Amino acid sequence: MENYKAQKIERKWQMYWRDHNVFKVADRPEKPFFNLTMFPYPSGKLHIGNSMNYTIGDAITRYKMMNGYDVLSPMGWDAFGLPAENAAIKAGAHPKVWNAKSIENMREQMRRAGWGYDWDREVSTAHPGYYKWTQWIFLQLYNKGLAYKKAAPVNWCPSCATVLANEQVISGTCERCHAEVDKKNLAQWFFRITDYADRLLDDLKLLDKWPEKVKKMQENWIGRSEGAVIDFKIESTGDIISCYTTRPDTTWGVTFFVFAAEHPLVEKLVKGKPHEKEVMDFVKRVKRQSIIDRTDETREKEGMFLHDYIINPVNGEKAELWVANYVLMEFGTGAVMAVPSDDQRDFLFAKKQDLPIIPVVNPPDRKTPITAEEMEEAWCKPGVMINSGPFDGKHTPECIPEVIEWMERQGFAKFEVNYKLRDWGISRQRYWGVPIPIIYCDKCGEVPVPEDQLPVELPMDVEFTGKGENPLAGSESFVNTDCPKCGAAAKRETDTMDTFVDSSWYFFRYLCPRMEGGAWDIEQANRWHPVHQYTGGVEHAIMHLMYSRFFMKAFHDLGLTKHVEPFGALFTQGMVNKVAYKCRVHGYMLDNADGGDDGKCRKCGQKLGVKSEKMSKSKFNTVAPDEIFEKFGADTMRFYMMSDSPPDKGLDWVEEGVHGAARFLNRLWDTVAAYAEQLADAPTSMGEVPPDPEKVAALRRKTHQTIKKVTYDFEHNFQFNTAIAAVRELINHMRKAADPDLPLPAEMAEPVREAVESVVVLLYPFVPHICEELWEKLGKKPPLVNVPWPKYDEKIAAADEVEIVVQVNGKLRARIQMPAGSDKDAMIAAAKADAKVVGYIEGKNIVKEIAVPDKLVNLVVK
RNA sequence: GCCGGUGUGGCCCAAUUGGUAGAGGCGUCGAGUUUAAGCCUCGAGAGCUGGGGGUUCGAAUCCCUCCACCGGUACCA
């Protein structure tokens, strides 16, 4: 018998799949199934996260094909972005060249992993044939008023020299380089995603096949709140200033009023006043504070009195006007009515600045009204309104609608819904991205590039200096152009788009990747969408998925698709972790396998901390798929990743586990090959051992139970670890029932054949190479994707005899064998008759008899 | 802080949703095979299910509370 040679058979089948176009899918499918995995950034090397993603995706592709679906399984490249440009700066190569090479490498790695794709549909977002349509989409949004330019304070990463979206700022630092992010005022392009806030929120209800977790994250990010906008009058100037509040019921408790440092009225109010310098110095200081400082909640709240007052519209009371560092310009109106009795931030500020506190909500269990002196913190829970004029005695927050109505009648407030979601800033001051198709003309102003002039291509005559300036701005041939309207000399926009724009519509382009007359064919989109299964990392739960949903809805409104949601079902895989070794003083280091000693720091000798953490180069705990392919083969990597833990949770990468996977595949090989030989000998004699009907039935039962289990796991959240465990059980059972190295007894030949074939078919989605090879050894015709997924027979799978547990007062006292499906009376009677049970119930009163069919009997006695 | 999630043999994890705590794997130990080790085959042990309280005939599962870790988010008025 030949040994299992992974690399040899893997290459053989990879060539087979390619040469036979196994994963090519028809444009007009009978049973369409769009199986999408998140396309990678072509960094040049697959990382383990990709491998996890695509191994899950490939298992689904093959499973669905075996179930008769026309599976669309495409692959492409999210090819624009910073790393290519940075690499270009470093290596002196053009990003285009660097990119092409990276893609080639990764395509080869994907082949070696054995993932099945329809390569005729490959797309790259950096290809002019693709980004032409990204620009076209920009123009459609622009014409609809959904793309606009405005000067806005933006997150500026000084190290990357570019603008970052809010979502790319991780607690005040750049998500890429971790430098502290500054605020900068720049003219920027935005997409009006906020117009869709309510629909993005409401339609989450349609996504019943999305993880609750992801929907919740999106809900939080959209951050819908209801409240009122209330107008206050400034005493000195008579200016009306509005503020948004979710608690208009507490307006009687307003004791001061606070502006954000960026609020334009601040400067106006102090202009020429004695305290002008003091206040403006404070404003400047706050503005200069980094985002890190400003968003650190534990930091002291500071502020300055503006020596001016506000008139509270509900009762005409005066309240001091302040500017403070804890109010954000970005939310609401940048001005806050402060109710220290009901808001902990206002409370702390009032205490610090010695401002008055008026309780307006009385804790419900109190008989007498609470006083300001009694309060140790703000009361923001439900209660009874006090000191609130006409609303005294009412319960809040229930009466908020009534309060708003009352205010609206008086004309100084109105109901309003607010969102945390901001418009999507897409401008990037970088070369390696999609040029924004806008031209600036002195006479005509901002002019969109006519559609027939697309694409606006990236110029090649650029210099990569690594300095802050966008290289595009330095390209004469690019910048200088003619105005499409009047023909006069004009200049091009030099900002490029955020790469999330590229990836927000790629699932359309896969449908018609080479189409020239349009971005996609609407009929095809209506047919293949929404994506039947989308699989990717949970790190894209907010940005990518939100932007794609927004695009889908905008496309719908533009008549470009009939659908409103892009992804019907979503599966998010967990992170891949591995132990990392960390010294408290000297940081992460290689583990002790590499020259270290007994887990001690090589620099200081202190004991290293050992903890499983997300794989990262900086932690020295990465694993390269390539190395696994070389050492063990792709099937081993695939098997290990799928067999160890449920894929939606994380995976702890353990070297021994990989060995275990390799061992299993060897055993699978030996076992199936041995059975193949025995089966080929087609035994006819009964042998010396007499036939054993129960043994035959038991093996068949196990086979059908296993098919049922694996099918169930595919249909329920992809619990591949338990599916694989079930197959292992079947193999163990079969080996015990019929020694693979001995001639098969005649009566076992068919049951064994059924079991062996099932094993190979059931494992195929996970380890396709070895299974194709074994399938051939069994005398069958490849490829396995054409073999129908096995059906199980419920009758064969059902046990005819079951073990019933007998409890007395909840304690296990006996086990009895009974025919499956016995009725409750029979079970109870049998339980009472059991000799062991009798000892426990004799002479006692049976209070209650519980029977669970085929499971247990519980007798409650006194 | 707030919103999610997780906590089960030494380790990764099952338990078809309230019914025997243990499927599968890793590691360990033992036996067989081997000149020996490894590989391979067969077998074994190991637990108050994070702590406490409650509901129930019965709780890993449901409820309350606390703790630990992971993820998201964060002065959003």
Side-chain angles (χ1 to χ4, degrees):
Chain A
M1 190 167 54
E2 206 185 331
N3 283 336
Y4 170 48
K5 293 200 187 76
Q7 284 77 5
K8 190 178 142 200
I9 64 168
E10 286 178 3
R11 173 134 200 108
K12 169 182 164 185
W13 290 104
Q14 285 154 14
M15 294 305 122
Y16 179 95
W17 298 327
R18 190 192 63 189
D19 296 342
H20 291 78
N21 287 319
V22 166
F23 297 98
K24 193 166 170 48
V25 67
D27 272 336
R28 295 191 158 272
E30 276 169 38
K31 269 177 88 179
F33 190 93
F34 193 168
N35 183 36
L36 185 66
T37 47
M38 292 180 180
F39 66 167
Y41 177 80
S43 62
K45 273 186 182 163
L46 282 173
H47 56 78
I48 284 288
N50 300 135
S51 303
M52 187 78 172
N53 193 170
Y54 304 145
T55 299
I56 296 167
D58 194 51
I60 297 169
T61 294
R62 293 174 197 259
Y63 172 76
K64 284 292 173 184
M65 285 175 80
M66 293 164 98
N67 278 281
Y69 288 91
D70 298 293
V71 178
L72 169 54
S73 169
M75 185 43 69
W77 313 100
D78 190 11
F80 276 130
L82 274 176
E85 193 167 337
N86 288 341
I89 291 164
K90 224 168 144 188
H94 192 277
K96 198 170 164 181
V97 177
W98 185 87
N99 212 234
K101 218 171 134 192
S102 296
I103 288 175
E104 213 172 299
N105 279 343
M106 287 178 76
R107 212 188 281 123
E108 172 64 10
Q109 283 185 303
M110 289 178 170
R111 180 193 60 72
R112 292 182 66 192
W115 300 317
Y117 301 116
D118 183 352
W119 282 109
D120 291 347
R121 295 173 183 268
E122 181 180 1
V123 301
S124 167
T125 58
H127 191 283
Y130 184 97
Y131 71 71
K132 169 180 181 175
W133 299 110
T134 308
Q135 291 171 336
W136 179 82
I137 288 165
F138 176 94
L139 293 177
Q140 307 315 304
L141 298 180
Y142 180 84
N143 293 336
K144 260 233 147 190
L146 289 171
Y148 67 98
K149 198 176 194 186
K150 73 167 183 200
V154 293
N155 307 303
W156 178 261
C157 172
S159 157
C160 299
T162 191
V163 165
L164 302 172
N166 285 333
E167 298 88 322
Q168 288 162 327
V169 179
I170 310 299
S171 61
T173 65
C174 171
E175 72 167 354
R176 269 191 199 291
C177 69
H178 310 293
E180 273 194 24
V181 172
D182 290 340
K183 284 274 177 194
K184 209 171 173 179
N185 240 330
L186 277 180
Q188 300 285 307
W189 283 95
F190 287 85
F191 284 154
R192 222 179 279 281
I193 191 172
T194 50
D195 272 14
Y196 286 77
D198 50 350
R199 283 165 69 185
L200 288 167
L201 181 67
D202 291 346
D203 287 356
L204 287 172
K205 288 190 208 84
L206 306 174
L207 304 174
D208 56 326
K209 288 178 186 158
W210 277 41
E212 287 305 320
K213 175 170 76 164
V214 174
K215 285 191 278 186
K216 195 85 198 165
M217 282 161 75
Q218 294 223 342
E219 192 186 316
N220 291 342
W221 190 262
I222 294 167
R224 183 182 195 274
S225 65
E226 287 185 2
V229 170
I230 304 175
D231 296 335
F232 287 71
K233 197 197 276 175
I234 293 174
E235 189 185 44
S236 63
T237 62
D239 280 330
I240 296 291
I241 169 77
S242 308
C243 77
Y244 174 74
T245 177
T246 55
R247 295 297 303 274
D249 54 320
T250 64
T251 311
W252 285 265
V254 171
T255 54
F256 58 104
F257 196 95
V258 198
F259 283 115
E262 289 84 357
H263 202 288
L265 264 182
V266 173
E267 194 172 354
K268 192 181 154 193
L269 287 175
V270 297
K271 193 112 203 147
K273 301 274 170 62
H275 47 273
E276 176 180 2
K277 186 169 181 321
E278 200 188 0
V279 169
M280 291 317 288
D281 282 352
F282 172 77
V283 165
K284 269 185 223 146
R285 191 156 58 82
V286 172
K287 280 187 183 169
R288 230 186 304 119
Q289 280 173 340
S290 65
I291 295 178
I292 264 198
D293 287 343
R294 291 201 68 179
T295 55
D296 180 2
E297 219 174 325
T298 59
R299 212 177 50 82
E300 194 77 0
K301 299 186 192 329
E302 295 176 86
M304 299 290 291
F305 181 36
L306 298 181
H307 297 273
D308 209 327
Y309 297 86
I310 209 97
I311 306 296
N312 189 337
V314 298
N315 54 14
E317 295 284 333
K318 266 170 50 166
E320 290 187 3
L321 251 175
W322 285 66
V323 55
N325 63 350
Y326 74 95
V327 175
L328 302 176
M329 192 61 215
E330 290 86 23
F331 190 79
T333 61
V336 174
M337 63 178 222
V339 186
S341 61
D342 193 72
D343 183 293
Q344 187 60 17
R345 292 157 303 178
D346 297 341
F347 183 85
L348 291 173
F349 193 76
K351 282 285 180 198
K352 183 172 180 201
Q353 306 294 352
D354 204 18
L355 289 157
I357 296 171
I358 303 172
V360 284
V361 180
N362 206 32
D365 52 344
R366 281 188 64 106
K367 296 221 169 63
T368 55
I370 192 167
T371 61
E373 293 71 34
E374 287 176 273
M375 296 190 92
E376 278 166 13
E377 58 181 1
W379 177 265
C380 26
K381 291 178 203 149
V384 180
M385 292 173 69
I386 50 173
N387 302 321
S388 296
F391 290 92
D392 278 355
K394 301 241 180 189
H395 282 267
T396 197
E398 293 89 333
C399 72
I400 289 178
E402 209 184 317
V403 172
I404 295 176
E405 223 173 277
W406 181 83
M407 289 177 167
E408 280 178 334
R409 270 205 307 275
Q410 324 244 331
F412 60 77
K414 69 176 204 299
F415 173 79
E416 195 164 288
V417 172
N418 231 311
Y419 299 92
K420 282 199 243 176
L421 184 73
R422 314 275 159 75
D423 274 342
W424 174 14
I426 60 153
S427 281
R428 297 291 181 273
Q429 291 67 45
R430 280 286 173 164
Y431 169 81
W432 194 235
V434 182
I436 292 172
I438 292 288
I439 290 168
Y440 299 103
C441 169
D442 284 342
K443 243 196 312 189
C444 313
E446 185 183 289
V447 183
V449 174
E451 285 181 20
D452 60 9
Q453 289 176 26
L454 297 181
V456 177
E457 283 204 53
L458 285 169
M460 292 300 277
D461 62 337
V462 286
E463 248 187 273
F464 298 99
T465 57
K467 301 266 168 62
E469 180 83 338
N470 178 0
L472 266 191
S475 166
E476 300 278 325
S477 69
F478 179 82
V479 173
N480 296 316
T481 186
D482 299 332
C483 171
K485 250 191 203 161
C486 70
K491 296 211 181 288
R492 283 192 194 280
E493 169 67 64
T494 58
D495 280 355
T496 51
M497 296 185 217
D498 178 8
T499 56
F500 277 111
V501 181
D502 311 337
S503 55
S504 294
W505 72 280
Y506 75 117
F507 44 92
F508 278 90
R509 193 62 183 172
Y510 277 144
L511 305 178
C512 359
R514 311 289 170 255
M515 185 168 166
E516 290 187 357
W520 61 81
D521 180 275
I522 294 175
E523 230 179 272
Q524 285 287 59
N526 289 345
R527 182 179 298 134
W528 283 103
H529 287 160
V531 170
H532 299 85
Q533 183 65 55
Y534 195 22
T535 307
V538 71
E539 65 273 19
H540 293 111
I542 296 174
M543 286 183 275
H544 168 58
L545 293 172
M546 185 85 76
Y547 297 149
S548 298
R549 295 182 60 224
F550 160 55
F551 265 31
M552 198 75 183
K553 291 177 196 306
F555 296 162
H556 174 85
D557 294 351
L558 286 159
L560 296 168
T561 175
K562 71 174 186 188
H563 301 291
V564 294
E565 284 291 336
F567 313 123
L570 175 72
F571 185 82
T572 51
Q573 91 240 14
M575 286 188 310
V576 184
N577 300 321
K578 190 167 179 263
V579 280
Y581 299 84
K582 190 180 187 184
C583 169
R584 257 173 220 209
V585 183
H586 299 101
Y588 291 100
M589 49 187 65
L590 288 167
D591 63 20
N592 39 16
D594 192 80
D597 50 354
D598 304 332
K600 285 181 184 156
C601 177
R602 260 157 275 159
K603 284 179 181 155
C604 63
Q606 272 196 66
K607 203 163 181 213
L608 294 173
V610 180
K611 210 174 129 203
S612 194
E613 294 186 59
K614 185 182 175 180
M615 281 190 188
S616 152
K617 274 184 195 144
S618 61
K619 294 176 190 162
F620 303 103
N621 64 343
T622 55
V623 172
D626 264 348
E627 288 170 23
I628 316 267
F629 297 165
E630 263 157 47
K631 224 164 152 185
F632 302 102
D635 279 340
T636 293
M637 181 192 74
R638 298 172 57 127
F639 187 83
Y640 173 59
M641 289 199 298
M642 297 297 96
S643 65
D644 207 47
S645 48
D648 57 329
K649 295 191 191 149
L651 169 69
D652 257 353
W653 191 276
V654 181
E655 221 47 62
E656 288 76 31
V658 182
H659 291 131
R663 184 186 306 160
F664 171 79
L665 293 182
N666 271 305
R667 184 176 153 97
L668 174 72
W669 176 271
D670 292 345
T671 303
V672 176
Y675 280 129
E677 280 174 27
Q678 305 297 352
L679 288 165
D681 289 348
T684 47
S685 92
M686 284 300 194
E688 283 159 33
V689 193
D692 182 348
E694 177 45 30
K695 213 165 150 188
V696 170
L699 179 54
R700 293 209 68 199
R701 192 184 307 135
K702 193 78 190 165
T703 302
H704 284 256
Q705 284 172 347
T706 306
I707 295 168
K708 184 178 176 180
K709 172 68 180 157
V710 176
T711 307
Y712 179 90
D713 284 335
F714 259 105
E715 300 294 336
H716 293 88
N717 218 26
F718 310 122
Q719 296 285 327
F720 296 143
N721 57 326
T722 54
I724 286 170
V727 178
R728 297 179 103 132
E729 260 186 85
L730 174 57
I731 295 170
N732 292 344
H733 182 110
M734 175 168 63
R735 288 181 60 102
K736 266 177 227 164
D739 191 327
D741 296 319
L742 298 175
L744 287 167
E747 87 271 13
M748 287 303 281
E750 279 317 304
V752 164
R753 188 190 303 280
E754 182 182 48
V756 173
E757 288 178 6
S758 299
V759 164
V760 174
V761 173
L762 295 176
L763 287 177
Y764 178 67
F766 311 112
V767 282
H769 310 90
I770 191 174
C771 288
E772 297 273 24
E773 186 71 22
L774 291 172
W775 192 242
E776 226 177 32
K777 271 195 190 303
L778 287 166
K780 302 284 189 168
K781 193 172 163 291
L784 270 160
V785 285
N786 292 339
V787 174
W789 188 255
K791 300 236 176 321
Y792 59 90
D793 186 329
E794 200 72 68
K795 280 200 248 34
I796 298 173
D800 39 340
E801 204 171 57
V802 289
E803 189 184 75
I804 305 289
V805 170
V806 183
Q807 298 177 334
V808 179
N809 286 345
K811 290 204 174 67
L812 175 63
R813 296 303 184 195
R815 298 158 194 270
I816 53 179
Q817 292 293 323
M818 290 196 79
S822 303
D823 66 27
K824 290 185 179 184
D825 292 341
M827 287 170 65
I828 290 164
K832 284 181 186 166
D834 186 87
K836 272 181 263 168
V837 177
V838 168
Y840 288 100
I841 59 175
E842 216 166 27
K844 292 189 178 151
N845 207 2
I846 297 183
V847 186
K848 206 168 182 181
E849 295 168 338
I850 295 131
V852 181
D854 292 348
K855 294 264 170 145
L856 64 57
V857 172
N858 188 10
L859 303 172
V860 185
V861 300
K862 253 187 189 164

